[in-house]
Amino acid sequence: MGKPIVLHIGEPIKYNHDLYNSEFLSRFDVVRNEEPDRESFIQALKSKKYGDFSAIFRPHFQTGGEMGQWDDELIPLLPSSARIFASAGAGFNWADVDALGKRGIWYANGAGASDEAVSDTALWMVLNVFRNFTRAQLAARTADVDTFTEAHKLIATISANPRDHILGIVGLGNISKKLAYKARTALGMKIHYYDVVRASEEEEKALGATFHDKLDDLLKVADCISLHTPLNKHTQDLIDARALSLMKKGSRIINTARGEVLVEDALVEALESGHISAAGLDVHYHEPNVSQKLAQMPQVTLTPHVAGGAINTRINFELNALKNILRVVGSDGEFTGEEPLTPVNKKAFQSS
């Protein structure tokens, strides 16, 4: 009997060669997807071109997406031998993870690998939206004396220290817990949060965090909102015109989660009216297209989805995907009885 098959989608591994060449290849036969598009990938699954594979391995989230959305067209075509889909990246909105779970297939992401980088980026954006550093940099980069002088005079009158202001966190996960700690200890901010699942009393005490069981209540008290919720049918357009209207006049908002959580047209209107004084966006509603209106606003900090963009993140994304497969799939291709290190669809899997 041969070794279990792993279907590798996307680019080859780049970083964790020792683990891959030793333990991983000794346990599994790895076959690479050769299909350039969705139609040919579907035909490959139907014809069992890649055999009865036990795992799908996507070590780099920026490649391996040529087949498009993993939905009710693709998932039923997976062989019954499939045990886990292990992917790099923290997001998973491109795959119906519940449908995978109901088929008895784990979906594991790269949770944890980008926590440090994304929380650092969010902290930097907190400073930006309070101190107007983007506006200041844009002025200085003109190298124009009048623009420099005008910004020098203006910015001190429209900026504030973050200390003693309320940072409202929407979605208290691993990334935002790190942000909460950094914002409280480094900047002296007060931490409030909303989540569908309340943190433990010990966690709240450690973070000095105040819980709100309604999002509206958090929006009303926060001086700055930071979004950290995954994108799904419940969070699509979560922060819309109504939600923004509940926020304090002159408050600020940051999004390092997913672009479609925040309605950008509504944000533009709130910024133009001055109801929202500043914003920081690493993710964008129509990504990779950036709102032209937001791009022209000096009170808005924009980055091209690089919050997690550190080499440490990439190394650990790849490592997590390798470890998750090694943990779940045995040498016989069956389940080992262990859960992935970073399961996403545990509830659906357990109900299968």
Side-chain angles (χ1 to χ4, degrees), residues 2 53 244 273:
F53 52 86
L244 291 169
S273 71

Side-chain angles (χ1 to χ4, degrees), residues 32-245:
R32 294 284 303 281
N33 173 48
E34 302 172 341
E35 316 312 320
D37 52 46
R38 184 178 180 87
E39 183 177 352
S40 59
F41 186 72
I42 287 174
Q43 291 306 312
L45 290 178
K46 286 181 176 179
S47 67
K48 289 188 174 291
K49 176 178 179 178
Y50 301 112
D52 290 324
F53 52 86
S54 298
I56 302 165
F57 176 50
R58 187 187 187 191
H60 307 294
F61 68 93
Q62 290 177 322
T63 67
E66 53 274 358
M67 68 291 298
Q69 195 76 16
W70 287 78
D71 53 17
D72 58 7
E73 182 179 30
L74 279 189
I75 292 171
L77 301 177
L78 295 175
S80 60
S81 56
R83 304 288 178 248
I84 183 172
F85 192 141
S87 178
F92 47 87
N93 50 290
W94 53 277
D96 188 338
V97 297
D98 287 341
L100 287 166
K102 289 172 183 176
R103 281 282 308 273
I105 302 170
W106 283 110
Y107 183 92
N109 68 351
S114 63
D115 292 359
E116 205 69 59
V118 178
S119 61
D120 282 348
T121 302
L123 184 71
W124 170 76
M125 283 192 168
V126 169
L127 278 169
N128 267 280
V129 297
F130 275 92
R131 294 290 307 279
N132 286 282
F133 286 143
T134 294
R135 184 190 291 266
Q137 186 180 70
L138 289 170
R141 283 183 178 276
T142 67
D144 176 75
V145 171
D146 291 339
T147 303
F148 182 101
T149 303
E150 180 184 0
H152 175 74
K153 292 178 180 178
L154 171 66
I155 286 175
T157 68
I158 61 173
S159 300
N161 293 329
R163 181 170 295 276
D164 294 327
H165 285 84
I166 294 175
L167 176 63
I169 291 173
V170 180
L172 192 67
N174 292 331
I175 291 171
S176 51
K177 286 174 185 176
K178 283 185 175 290
L179 171 62
Y181 173 79
K182 292 172 182 180
R184 183 173 65 85
T185 56
L187 302 181
M189 299 190 76
K190 299 173 182 176
I191 307 301
H192 289 229
Y193 78 98
Y194 162 77
D195 200 310
V196 292
V197 178
R198 185 172 184 173
S200 68
E201 185 178 344
E202 291 75 20
E203 285 181 309
E204 288 184 354
K205 185 176 180 180
L207 295 172
T210 300
F211 174 67
H212 295 266
D213 61 4
K214 294 183 176 61
L215 175 60
D216 287 1
D217 293 341
L218 177 67
L219 296 174
K220 291 173 183 177
V221 301
D223 298 296
C224 179
I225 288 290
S226 189
L227 302 176
H228 298 274
T229 182
L231 178 64
N232 55 46
K233 63 182 180 181
H234 303 294
T235 61
Q236 173 97 30
D237 298 339
L238 180 69
I239 306 299
D240 56 11
R242 188 199 71 84
L244 291 169
S245 72

